[in-house]
């Protein structure tokens, strides 16, 4: 039986007109874009699921905050409002705003990583992995094995494999591991959550070996909601208290606030109690982002962020947010289309390898399905697989990802049930002609984060 669609816990106050190009026009647009969906114009996309980062709809309270924003260069009131919100929610003494998540990594990671060092994560996302490598270090993933099988329905498929983590630390030498990163929710594994118990176990190992623990906190509220639903110890605990517990085990956090804080621009660095590290963070922030009390953001952005941090923790909103994904997943279950299950928090990750088994990893099934979704219905998505993973930084050889996903990332408070039906119908239509879908090859690529810019062509 299909899951009932959760009604929106809000009223629509403003709309933006969108149009769908006809099939012939879409064929021409994707060809002009070199078969890279990042190269499409936004106006040529009907339903934009490329990312849930910064694509959210802000509330009336946030827009009111935009008007109240204090634009003082130093010491703006909006900065102090954000700092108080951050301290209240995360329990950290030091909160540093930056303009987005990768800026947080650019500021913090070079202080903890350098050439010859390693960073270990439950799973790095693309930009985080890139900033590890830009600092001269190398990134290693230690996600639990069940995450690698999309058909397994486990409650916390985002968890770190704690045994593998300890083995890796001992193999590399603890002095060579500069950082452990817990990504919540685990984006590359399909938006899958991390349990509090897993966080405790990883923190205990980090303490044992004297390694700093950082949380990649972009989707912290969704992770907290899954904990409340699935971890017995916390079934009667508030989202805010779960969040504080989660963050208590780490030393620092980096956050793209463009996700669970429901803003269009913003990021945070949190430091629990390390004043020496904060002095270095401030120096980098001034060099890369701007003065410490605005961190590359306008006062209006700081104000909207301080409000959005709380709105993203509202349980009615989170029930609706996850409910949208469960509705889409139920429609795909009925159609026999595989995805990373159970469904994640911020998107549905279609198992492109299962849908297009004739396309090998080095012909990028996740990217092939993403192109087909645009051709079919004007839907823009992205590959989370070997195409995104790219090449080995030392050998230049194409890496083989553990998954070949096409991610449908859902912006917050943007799309309705009718849009979700268009998504499902498009995937069902593609399934019916799946055997005719061809793979792709890269004809030009930059050295890092190639999927943002690369040019591709379809194989004959």
């Amino acid at each position: 039986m299909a899951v009932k669609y959760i009604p929106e816990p809000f009223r629509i106050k403003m709309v933006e007109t969108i149009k769908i190009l006809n099939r012939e026009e879409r064929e021409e647009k994707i060809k002009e874009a070199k078969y890279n969906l990042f190269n499409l114009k936004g106006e040529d996309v009907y339903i934009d699921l490329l990312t849930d980062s910064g694509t959210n709809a802000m509330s009336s309270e946030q827009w009111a905050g935009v008007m109240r924003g204090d634009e003082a260069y130093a010491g703006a009131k909006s900065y102090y409002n954000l700092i108080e919100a951050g301290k209240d929610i995360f329990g950290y003494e030091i909160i540093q705003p930056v303009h987005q998540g990768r800026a947080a990594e650019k500021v913090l990671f070079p202080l903890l990583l350098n050439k010859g060092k390693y960073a270990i994560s439950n799973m790095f996302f693309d930009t985080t992995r890139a900033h590890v490598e830009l600092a001269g270090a190398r990134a290693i993933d230690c996600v639990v094995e069940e995450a690698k099988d999309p058909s397994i329905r486990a409650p916390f498929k985002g968890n770190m494999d704690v045994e593998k983590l300890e083995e890796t630390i001992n193999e590399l030498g603890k002095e060579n591991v500069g950082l452990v990163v817990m990504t919540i929710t685990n984006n590359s594994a399909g938006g899958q959550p991390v349990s509090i118990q897993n966080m405790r176990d990883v923190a205990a190992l980090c303490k044992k070996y004297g390694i700093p623990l950082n949380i990649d906190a972009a989707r912290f509220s969704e992770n907290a909601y899954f904990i409340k639903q699935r971890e017995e110890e916390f079934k009667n605990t508030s989202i805010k208290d779960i969040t504080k517990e989660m963050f208590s085990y780490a030393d620092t956090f980096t956050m793209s606030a463009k996700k669970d804080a429901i803003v269009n621009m913003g990021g945070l660095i949190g430091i629990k109690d390390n004043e020496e590290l904060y002095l270095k963070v401030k120096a980098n922030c001034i060099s890369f982002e701007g003065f410490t009390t605005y961190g590359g953001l306008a006062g209006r952005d700081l104000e909207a962020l301080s409000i959005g941090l709380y709105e993203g923790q509202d349980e009615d909103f989170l029930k609706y947010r996850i409910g949208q994904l469960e509705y889409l997943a139920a429609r795909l279950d009925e159609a026999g289309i595989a995805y990373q299950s159970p469904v994640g928090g911020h998107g549905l990750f279609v198992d492109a390898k299962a849908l297009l088994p004739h396309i090998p990893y080095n012909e990028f099934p996740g990217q092939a399905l993403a192109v087909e979704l645009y051709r079919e219905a004007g839907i823009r998505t992205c590959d989370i697989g070997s195409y995104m993973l790219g090449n080995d930084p030392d050998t230049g050889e194409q890496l083989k990802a553990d998954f070949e996903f096409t991610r449908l990332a859902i912006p917050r408070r943007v799309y309705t049930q009718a849009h979700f039906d268009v998504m499902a119908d498009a995937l069902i239509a593609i399934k019916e002609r799946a055997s005719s879908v061809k793979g792709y090859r890269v004809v030009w690529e930059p050295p890092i984060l190639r999927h943002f810019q690369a040019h591709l062509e379809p194989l004959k």
Side-chain angles (χ1 to χ4, degrees):
M1 188 175 71
V3 172
K4 184 179 178 182
Y5 187 87
I6 301 293
E8 285 79 3
F10 52 80
R11 291 183 297 224
I12 295 169
K13 207 166 187 175
M14 185 182 75
V15 297
E16 177 186 1
T17 301
I18 54 175
K19 295 180 180 179
I20 184 167
L21 304 179
N22 64 39
R23 179 66 181 248
E24 187 177 303
E25 290 170 326
R26 296 197 299 272
E27 291 281 3
E28 186 60 32
K29 294 297 182 184
I30 194 65
K31 184 178 179 181
E32 289 173 1
K34 310 293 186 184
Y35 300 96
N36 184 336
L37 291 107
F38 284 92
N39 290 336
L40 289 170
K41 292 180 179 178
E43 65 191 33
D44 295 332
V45 174
Y46 177 54
I47 299 175
D48 202 343
L49 311 179
L50 185 68
T51 180
D52 62 315
S53 178
T55 56
N56 310 294
M58 293 203 301
S59 69
S60 56
E61 286 302 309
Q62 287 178 293
W63 281 109
V66 166
M67 299 306 294
R68 293 194 301 267
D70 181 356
E71 303 300 342
Y73 184 91
K77 182 179 179 181
S78 298
Y79 163 78
Y80 291 106
N81 289 342
L82 175 59
I83 299 311
E84 289 308 308
K87 288 181 177 180
D88 179 42
I89 291 169
F90 303 110
Y92 279 40
E93 284 301 307
I94 298 162
I95 303 291
Q96 174 61 58
V98 290
H99 86 272
Q100 61 179 40
R102 69 193 65 173
E105 294 158 2
K106 181 182 179 183
V107 167
L108 180 64
F109 282 11
L111 303 175
L112 303 169
L113 298 168
N114 50 50
K115 191 172 183 179
K117 292 281 189 180
Y118 294 87
I120 307 173
S121 178
N122 54 338
M123 202 157 228
F124 286 103
F125 195 56
D126 56 354
T127 50
T128 314
R129 183 182 301 277
H131 277 100
V132 169
E133 293 174 1
L134 286 168
R138 291 293 177 259
I140 298 174
D141 295 330
C142 286
V143 71
V144 288
E145 284 300 310
E146 56 262 35
K148 299 175 184 179
D149 185 343
S151 67
I152 294 175
R153 291 182 177 266
F156 292 103
K157 290 173 81 171
N159 278 355
M160 181 85 79
D161 185 329
V162 178
E163 184 177 335
K164 185 179 177 182
L165 172 62
E166 185 159 29
E167 288 173 0
T168 304
I169 291 169
N170 286 321
E171 285 172 10
L172 298 173
K174 63 181 182 181
E175 69 281 1
N176 296 318
V177 180
L179 189 64
V180 170
V181 178
M182 288 293 274
T183 310
I184 59 169
T185 56
N186 192 330
N187 189 358
S188 292
Q192 296 294 312
V194 172
S195 70
I196 290 284
Q197 188 56 55
N198 190 244
M199 188 72 74
R200 288 169 178 158
D201 294 342
V202 170
L205 266 187
C206 288
K207 187 174 182 181
K208 174 181 175 181
Y209 290 104
I211 300 168
L213 176 58
N214 180 72
I215 292 176
D216 180 345
R219 299 173 179 90
F220 72 98
S221 292
E222 292 170 6
N223 201 94
Y225 182 80
F226 282 125
I227 288 169
K228 185 177 178 71
Q229 298 300 308
R230 300 177 184 177
E231 200 162 1
E232 182 68 20
E233 180 184 346
F234 296 97
K235 66 179 182 180
N236 296 317
T237 308
S238 70
I239 298 297
K240 186 177 178 183
D241 286 344
I242 292 170
T243 297
K244 197 161 283 188
E245 169 99 6
M246 216 173 4
F247 281 76
S248 71
Y249 298 107
D251 302 296
T252 59
F253 72 80
T254 47
M255 177 189 291
S256 168
K258 297 163 65 178
K259 284 85 168 175
D260 273 3
I262 325 182
V263 290
N264 305 123
M265 188 57 65
L268 295 174
I269 298 169
I271 302 171
K272 188 180 286 180
D273 55 11
N274 188 331
E275 188 65 34
E276 182 182 352
L277 179 61
Y278 182 41
L279 291 174
K280 295 176 181 177
V281 163
K282 286 202 291 186
N284 274 359
C285 185
I286 291 169
S287 297
F288 301 145
E289 293 288 286
F291 190 62
T292 54
T293 62
Y294 74 90
L297 293 171
R300 53 185 173 269
D301 295 320
L302 298 169
E303 195 71 43
L305 176 49
S306 68
I307 297 164
L309 284 168
Y310 288 105
E311 289 188 354
Q313 293 201 301
D314 179 77
E315 289 193 34
D316 289 336
F317 161 72
L318 289 166
K319 181 181 179 182
Y320 146 79
R321 168 80 174 150
I322 306 304
Q324 284 189 311
L325 274 298
E326 290 173 342
Y327 173 81
L328 179 58
R331 287 219 49 200
L332 297 193
D333 287 339
E334 290 175 347
I337 295 173
Y339 56 89
Q340 177 67 297
S341 60
V343 72
H346 69 286
L348 187 143
F349 290 58
V350 180
D351 187 351
K353 183 164 63 174
L355 190 63
L356 307 171
H358 58 287
I359 300 180
Y361 78 94
N362 57 352
E363 295 177 11
F364 316 129
Q367 180 68 9
L369 179 55
V371 172
E372 290 307 305
L373 276 165
Y374 181 72
R375 281 183 167 137
E376 181 66 32
I379 299 170
R380 177 160 63 171
T381 60
C382 76
D383 166 280
I384 306 288
S386 297
Y387 171 59
M388 186 192 76
L389 188 59
N391 302 317
D392 185 292
D394 298 313
T395 68
E397 293 294 314
Q398 171 66 51
L399 295 167
K400 183 177 182 180
D402 290 323
F403 327 96
E404 301 295 343
F405 291 142
T406 301
R407 183 185 72 174
L408 281 64
I410 309 300
R412 292 156 186 82
R413 304 189 292 209
V414 171
Y415 292 117
T416 66
Q417 181 177 356
H419 293 112
F420 280 84
D421 285 331
V422 171
M423 299 171 205
D425 291 344
L427 285 164
I428 291 166
I430 293 167
K431 183 189 177 189
E432 292 173 356
R433 57 178 172 81
S435 61
S436 67
V437 176
K438 300 292 191 288
Y440 288 80
R441 73 181 185 96
V442 175
V443 295
W444 174 83
E445 60 186 309
I448 289 183
L449 294 172
R450 73 172 179 194
H451 59 292
F452 288 120
Q453 301 183 70
H455 297 172
L456 300 99
E457 67 179 17
L459 293 163
K460 304 297 183 185

